[in-house]
Amino acid sequence: MKKLFLAIAVLSSLYSSSQSTPKMDFETYNPPSTLVVPGQPILKAKYPFIDVHNHQFGMPTMDLGTLITDMDKMNMKVMVNLSGQSGETLKKSMANVKANYPNRFIVFANIDFKNVGESGWGEKAAAQLEEDVKNGANGLKIYKSLGFSVKDINGKRVTVDDPRLDDIWKKAGELKIPVLIHTADPKPFWQPMDANNERWLELATHAGRKRQDNDPAPWDTLIAEQHRMFKKHPSTTFIAAHFGWFPNDLGKLGRVLDAMPNVVVEFGAIIAELGRQPKTANQFFTKYQDRILFGKDSWVPAEYPTYFRVLESTDEYFPYHKKYHAYWAMYGMGLPDAILKKIYYKNALRIIPNIDKTLFPD
């Protein structure tokens, strides 16, 4: 009997060895789905749309025709360049736009936060914003550096709700231009980088994105600063970038919007969160259909079809375009035409001044 057990053990060991496979890391394992379901990519938006979150730093001198070619292929009628900067640089961008495609681009100004704390700094910054608007800017973009790396003349972190910035937000309201603001980053960037962190792959492959509570402050602190600023300036329209970093908690985002009527959102770089909760996202888009704008962020034309498919289709289990953002598959929300039109262009036409309305249907 002992000999039989020994023989079985040896055979079992040999079988296991023959069946063993090389180990594969998480980054490499990405098998194509064998699921066969109806659906296909959507390469062109059903309606002409306005991308309110784009960055074209080379706009002062670039050939805008290359952008127009890609925009036309996907039915993008207007691109909002959030990286207009200020002063002479902004003037050069506007000159390029006016000379070539005057109704296809909108430019937002930016604030130079150098020397915050000097006497009269806020008034000067507000005056520069007013000058930039006279020179063609139709909005203001605030980068996440405010709250992260912007420091005053004493080397102290400038908070998002710092009262020394109030003149800027007040001036934007007076000029009736929106402020698109990016504060913080996804909350998992502050959480332990372990097997429980959904952003592990992104943090592992993108050095520098991991945060600590002292680098420079806890996530909740940064978001609270932003919300206090929103509430302090109810006459100014704020566009919270990236769904305010609550795309994974639409119930919370709904409560934020309910409490702050002057805030709207855009979904740049967070479509993967919406695509994994199509029923809940559909309900959110239905309830807040007047307060959501189309935004993409990074200019990669090949990635826009994911956005169109999540918004328009009822397709199941289709791939996302960046595994490090989302290792899960997407599902379509199947938004009705009336809501799609608001998301694609009507809401932006209402919120951002001087967009050519003749480019869009009623």
Side-chain angles (χ1 to χ4, degrees):
M1 185 63 69
K2 290 183 179 179
K3 290 183 178 179
L4 177 61
F5 285 151
L6 180 60
I8 292 174
V10 171
L11 289 173
S12 177
S13 176
L14 291 173
Y15 179 79
S16 298
S17 297
S18 68
Q19 294 298 310
S20 64
T21 57
K23 288 186 177 181
M24 184 183 303
D25 58 29
F26 181 64
E27 296 96 318
T28 304
Y29 184 65
N30 191 26
S33 172
T34 60
L35 185 68
V36 180
V37 290
Q40 58 185 356
I42 299 176
L43 303 181
K44 186 174 183 179
K46 186 174 184 179
Y47 296 105
F49 71 98
I50 300 165
D51 181 358
V52 307
H53 192 149
N54 212 286
H55 297 284
Q56 299 295 335
F57 291 95
M59 185 165 276
T61 58
M62 70 186 300
D63 176 8
L64 298 177
T66 59
L67 292 179
I68 292 294
T69 298
D70 287 326
M71 289 164 62
D72 286 345
K73 289 178 181 178
M74 66 179 82
N75 207 13
M76 184 194 299
K77 289 299 182 182
V78 174
M79 173 190 288
V80 178
N81 177 20
L82 300 179
S83 304
Q85 301 182 60
S86 186
E88 291 302 314
T89 301
L90 186 138
K91 286 182 182 179
K92 291 177 182 178
S93 285
M94 295 310 306
N96 192 10
V97 169
K98 290 179 180 178
N100 294 285
Y101 300 95
N103 64 346
R104 299 295 300 275
F105 298 97
I106 290 289
V107 179
F108 276 29
N110 309 126
I111 296 292
D112 183 354
F113 286 104
K114 185 179 180 181
N115 297 324
V116 173
E118 286 187 348
S119 177
W121 183 91
E123 293 90 338
K124 292 177 184 177
Q128 182 62 57
L129 176 60
E130 186 167 17
E131 184 68 18
D132 289 337
V133 170
K134 288 180 181 178
N135 289 328
N138 285 289
L140 173 64
K141 165 65 163 74
I142 302 298
Y143 294 100
K144 64 181 177 182
S145 55
L146 178 62
F148 271 170
S149 59
V150 172
K151 291 181 171 60
D152 65 14
I153 55 175
N154 298 311
K156 184 179 179 181
R157 182 178 74 92
V158 177
T159 64
V160 181
D161 61 339
D162 192 310
R164 294 173 292 185
L165 311 182
D166 283 347
D167 287 334
I168 299 170
W169 320 131
K170 181 180 178 182
K171 179 59 67 175
E174 292 173 354
L175 296 171
K176 300 187 184 308
I177 59 167
V179 178
L180 194 152
I181 179 168
H182 175 171
T183 300
D185 272 328
K187 190 171 184 176
F189 286 11
W190 277 257
Q191 295 171 342
M193 190 176 165
D194 57 23
N196 295 314
N197 192 323
E198 281 191 317
R199 293 278 184 161
W200 180 89
L201 182 57
E202 181 171 1
L203 295 173
T205 56
H206 292 74
R209 295 192 180 183
K210 181 71 177 72
R211 294 278 177 177
Q212 305 295 334
D213 281 352
N214 61 353
D215 179 22
W219 184 87
D220 290 306
T221 297
L222 295 166
I223 297 300
E225 291 172 2
Q226 185 195 69
H227 290 178
R228 285 195 296 270
M229 187 264 282
F230 289 164
K231 291 179 178 178
K232 190 176 182 180
H233 298 276
S235 298
T236 301
T237 298
F238 293 96
I239 305 172
H242 313 296
F243 260 40
W245 294 126
F246 287 108
N248 60 322
D249 189 350
L250 296 180
K252 171 63 176 178
L253 181 55
R255 293 190 292 275
V256 169
L257 294 179
D258 291 344
M260 306 171 203
N262 59 321
V263 177
V264 299
V265 294
E266 61 84 27
F267 46 74
I270 58 87
I271 198 70
E273 296 287 0
L274 304 177
R276 65 170 169 171
Q277 51 176 333
K279 294 180 180 179
T280 299
N282 183 294
Q283 293 170 0
F284 182 87
F285 273 67
T286 299
K287 183 174 182 180
Y288 297 101
Q289 59 188 269
D290 296 317
R291 301 177 67 181
I292 304 171
L293 307 176
F294 186 104
K296 168 65 173 64
D297 198 354
S298 60
W299 175 239
V300 184
E303 295 177 353
Y304 281 81
T306 304
Y307 286 69
F308 306 150
R309 197 171 182 183
V310 170
L311 294 171
E312 297 181 20
S313 80
T314 55
D315 293 351
E316 296 180 293
Y317 206 82
F318 53 89
Y320 184 61
H321 50 261
K322 288 180 181 176
K323 187 188 176 188
Y324 72 81
H325 267 180
Y327 53 83
W328 53 83
M330 302 288 99
Y331 297 81
M333 287 191 281
L335 295 174
D337 288 354
I339 295 179
L340 279 175
K341 290 178 181 178
K342 290 182 178 182
I343 305 304
Y344 276 145
Y345 64 91
K346 286 188 174 182
N347 291 341
L349 289 177
R350 187 184 74 250
I351 292 168
I352 301 174
N354 299 316
I355 299 178
D356 186 353
K357 293 180 173 60
T358 66
L359 295 174
F360 303 91
D362 294 335

